[in-house]
Amino acid sequence: MNVLLVDDEAVDLEWLRRRVAGSTLPLKVIGTANSGFAALKIMESEQVDIILSDIRMPIMSGIDFARKAKSINPQVQLVFISGHEDFSYAKEALHLNASGYLLKPVDDGELYDMLASLCSKVEQERERHRSVAEALSLVNQELLLRWLNDSYQDEPQEHIKPFVEQLLLMGTSVAIIESDDVEWKLPDEERRSQLAQLAQFVMRYVLDHHIGTLIVAHNSRIVLLSGMHEDPLGALLDELIQAVWAAFPITITIGIGMHAANIGQLRESYRQAEAALSAKWLLGKNRLIKDGSKSSARGALAPNVEESVSQMLQAILEYDLVLIDDCLLRLFNDNVSIAQKNDIYDLIIRITSKMHADLLQRNENLYDLLKWESHQPAVLFQFETMDDILSWLRRRFFELSELLYVKGQKQKRKLFEEIAHYVDEQLEHRVTLKEVAAQFDFTPNYLGHLFKEETGTLFSDFLNERRMNRVCTLLADPTLKIYEIAERVGYKNIIYFNRQFKQSTGMTPGEFRKKNKI
């Protein structure tokens, strides 16, 4: 366990270091600091489990330091040491949820008893985290991932709600770890082996550094749920990226979201981590990326961005190239200063992050569709004018619109083929629009509207045409009587059947047989 010692008196600091180092407890002095400022700097790069700090220090008091230390790492165990028996200090220490208060000169036995108690507390907290991780069975992990991805389900399912609440006790950030380029760099067998080894490597690293809970997801991704504060977590994740780079032929990129204090923020943190990760095509791989929608050199962009991107996505889905161009021009004219090149890159991150997130809700992936990785988007940084960048984006979004249109047409054709097949199978029973709509999870009104819009034919006319085609096929069998054929295709009234057939073909069933010499 890592111990940080803080005291502005060099002699007291050295005494404390020797006592802690000389104990038989599993403790490592990770650093010593003669001021709160120096101690906080150590905490930004090191995982600290226990802090022993003088309470009276110049400029930044021990109390002020403790507040900042707790904001960095809420789980850290704090013990104040003071030569002043001052009840007001003790009260503040208790208010800060300090683990103890020792008076100088500190007795060795009292110090070791306190350290033993703190070691026990830290180990219990680690065990609690291990229990949460182990209790998340594969099924519950899958349920948790589904809930994080499902923007329509407000509350997590009852099976996983206790785990989510436990994770949020001290706050949780979501980070998504993604392997880079494995789809084209490695053959199938090697890819599976490398990803399995990578998952084990990341798991050991996370456990060794007590970072949080891991869930191995799909698509070469691992989800990390961490209660650590942003700065030390970021430092550890940067270290993980470098460690993977040194140990594997592949690299990883990590997207990270906000520190969440409640269920709604946890899902937002996951969305931010996804958005950050999706910006790697522009920002580069083998690195840690924070939510791209928040990264702007000049602060928040104009509030019309999301609305314009939503309108542009709708135009893309409707294959409206003119409106796509209008939206793109409006976005850049309203939000980019010609003098600030960074504004362009910030805006592109905002646009692509939101568009990617919205398309994910439709089970589409912006970057997979356009294969932007293989287009080497670093070309954006080589353009000399905003017009060049706009031209590049315009071509990409036109291409996206066409891809989605063609894909949509194929999906619709497949749907109508499936509907036709189902209708043909049910023709010898009483088949209705309501029944077909239920079979394909539509409302009757919507299916009827969709059918008319896509085929130019009413569903009732389509159904009658398929039924009459079947009748013609059956009439070709001379062993079947006309009234038997009428019953087989759902007509109870032979007169009505004859009238419908004549209206459709221009002749009665009998005339049809005569004409075709049946």
Side-chain angles (χ1 to χ4, degrees):
M1 295 178 194
N2 294 337
V3 183
L4 174 61
L5 309 176
V6 191
D7 199 314
D8 63 316
E9 295 288 344
V11 174
D12 289 348
L13 192 59
E14 178 60 19
W15 177 89
L16 199 53
R17 188 194 67 77
R18 292 189 180 198
R19 290 299 181 278
V20 173
S23 77
T24 58
L25 296 165
L27 297 172
K28 176 185 177 183
V29 178
I30 199 70
T32 60
N34 60 5
S35 72
F37 297 106
L40 291 171
K41 195 162 187 64
I42 292 172
M43 289 190 72
E44 288 174 359
S45 58
E46 301 288 351
Q47 171 64 22
V48 178
D49 300 304
I50 298 169
I51 298 174
L52 302 180
S53 173
D54 187 17
I55 204 165
R56 287 209 179 196
M57 294 185 291
I59 306 176
M60 181 187 288
S61 71
I63 295 291
D64 292 334
F65 160 67
R67 285 197 184 94
K68 294 181 184 299
K70 278 285 188 181
S71 71
I72 291 175
N73 182 1
Q75 284 84 28
V76 73
Q77 301 293 324
L78 264 164
V79 173
F80 288 116
I81 301 174
S82 177
H84 305 271
E85 194 169 357
D86 191 323
F87 185 64
S88 65
Y89 280 109
K91 278 201 303 183
E92 267 198 275
L94 292 172
H95 181 69
L96 281 169
N97 203 19
S99 303
Y101 191 98
L102 297 172
L103 289 175
K104 294 179 181 178
V106 179
D107 177 74
D108 283 2
E110 190 179 0
L111 174 64
Y112 292 145
D113 286 345
M114 176 67 74
L115 288 172
S117 171
L118 295 178
C119 284
S120 176
K121 281 185 180 179
V122 171
E123 188 52 48
Q124 286 174 11
E125 183 63 19
R126 288 181 180 177
E127 185 60 37
R128 184 182 69 79
H129 280 293
R130 279 195 291 270
S131 298
V132 169
E134 289 166 4
L136 272 175
S137 66
L138 289 176
V139 172
N140 285 337
Q141 287 182 26
E142 183 63 30
L143 289 174
L144 182 55
L145 284 175
R146 285 185 188 179
W147 173 72
L148 288 169
N149 278 294
D150 185 357
S151 59
Y152 298 104
Q153 186 183 347
D154 293 333
E155 292 286 327
Q157 292 185 351
E158 290 302 318
H159 298 81
I160 58 171
K161 197 169 185 178
F163 304 116
V164 174
E165 290 171 346
Q166 187 78 10
L167 287 168
L168 289 169
L169 283 176
M170 302 301 289
T172 297
S173 298
V174 179
I176 302 176
I177 304 164
E178 182 175 70
S179 307
D180 300 322
D181 303 328
V182 291
E183 294 300 325
W184 62 270
K185 264 189 178 178
L186 303 174
D188 287 348
E189 282 301 319
E190 188 180 350
R191 180 168 68 243
R192 283 192 290 271
S193 172
Q194 287 289 346
L195 289 177
Q197 291 177 45
L198 177 63
Q200 288 298 318
F201 184 91
V202 172
M203 195 168 293
R204 280 197 304 274
Y205 182 89
V206 168
L207 286 174
D208 289 347
H209 292 81
H210 317 294
I211 299 176
T213 301
L214 278 181
I215 302 173
V216 178
H218 310 293
N219 303 325
S220 312
R221 286 185 169 189
I222 300 170
V223 176
L224 170 66
L225 304 168
S226 176
M228 293 183 68
H229 190 268
E230 181 179 348
D231 292 333
L233 176 59
L236 285 169
L237 292 179
D238 274 327
E239 185 181 295
L240 171 60
I241 290 167
Q242 296 307 311
V244 169
W245 194 15
F248 290 88
I250 53 177
T251 59
I252 59 172
T253 302
I254 304 177
I256 188 169
M258 65 189 286
H259 194 73
N262 57 52
I263 284 174
Q265 288 179 352
L266 182 62
R267 179 181 275 153
E268 178 63 13
S269 180
Y270 180 83
R271 188 204 66 76
Q272 289 177 351
E274 277 200 313
L277 196 58
S278 70
K280 77 175 180 178
W281 73 272
L282 182 62
L283 299 178
K285 296 169 288 189
N286 194 30
R287 58 170 295 176
L288 178 67
I289 307 175
K290 297 180 182 177
D291 178 20
S293 67
K294 289 188 171 182
S295 61
S296 174
R298 62 181 187 131
L301 293 168
N304 67 338
V305 171
E306 289 203 356
E307 182 183 339
S308 294
V309 173
S310 295
Q311 188 179 6
M312 184 163 65
L313 178 58
Q314 192 59 40
I316 287 170
L317 293 171
E318 293 174 0
Y319 202 19
D320 188 338
L321 304 185
V322 173
L323 185 54
I324 294 170
D325 191 44
D326 288 345
C327 291
L328 199 55
L329 288 171
R330 185 165 65 248
L331 277 163
F332 275 77
N333 289 336
D334 290 350
N335 296 288
V336 174
S337 164
I338 295 174
Q340 295 295 324
K341 205 169 185 180
N342 280 342
D343 290 353
I344 298 175
Y345 304 136
D346 292 336
L347 179 60
I348 291 170
I349 293 170
R350 287 290 299 273
I351 292 171
T352 56
S353 294
K354 175 166 174 51
M355 191 171 291
H356 179 63
D358 288 350
L359 281 170
L360 285 175
Q361 298 296 320
R362 299 170 176 268
N363 295 318
E364 299 288 359
N365 186 303
L366 175 66
Y367 305 104
D368 285 350
L369 282 166
L370 288 180
K371 298 181 175 60
W372 274 7
E373 193 67 39
S374 62
H375 278 79
Q376 297 180 335
V379 69
L380 281 169
F381 293 97
Q382 299 168 14
F383 289 139
E384 295 185 359
T385 68
M386 189 169 76
D387 284 343
D388 290 336
I389 294 177
L390 267 171
S391 178
W392 187 88
L393 283 173
R394 185 182 292 112
R395 287 197 302 273
R396 298 288 77 79
F397 290 145
F398 284 1
E399 182 184 350
L400 175 64
S401 184
E402 185 172 357
L403 282 168
L404 288 172
Y405 175 77
V406 171
K407 189 174 181 180
Q409 291 302 107
K410 286 180 180 176
Q411 288 173 340
K412 284 175 182 175
R413 278 199 298 273
K414 185 181 177 186
L415 170 66
F416 291 128
E417 284 170 5
E418 289 175 354
I419 289 174
H421 179 69
Y422 177 77
V423 167
D424 287 342
E425 284 187 333
Q426 301 299 316
L427 276 177
E428 296 190 11
H429 307 284
R430 179 169 176 76
V431 59
T432 63
L433 173 61
K434 184 177 180 181
E435 179 191 338
V436 176
Q439 177 69 22
F440 290 90
D441 294 323
F442 292 111
T443 64
N445 283 344
Y446 180 72
L447 181 59
H449 169 75
L450 188 66
F451 214 89
K452 180 69 168 68
E453 188 178 71
E454 295 301 321
T455 67
T457 306
L458 293 172
F459 183 81
S460 57
D461 293 338
F462 162 79
L463 183 59
N464 190 56
E465 182 185 348
R466 305 297 284 199
R467 184 176 279 124
M468 290 305 131
N469 288 342
R470 176 65 60 83
V471 169
C472 291
T473 302
L474 294 172
L475 284 170
D477 182 356
T479 65
L480 292 175
K481 295 181 173 55
I482 291 175
Y483 74 86
E484 291 176 333
I485 294 171
E487 287 179 357
R488 281 182 63 170
V489 294
Y491 288 95
K492 302 289 186 188
N493 188 314
I494 189 67
I495 297 173
Y496 180 67
F497 167 70
N498 283 333
R499 185 180 298 127
Q500 286 287 101
F501 187 83
K502 185 169 184 178
Q503 186 176 333
S504 177
T505 64
M507 62 189 86
T508 65
E511 290 168 343
F512 177 86
R513 277 185 162 172
K514 277 183 185 178
K515 180 181 178 182
N516 291 281
K517 299 180 180 177
I518 299 168

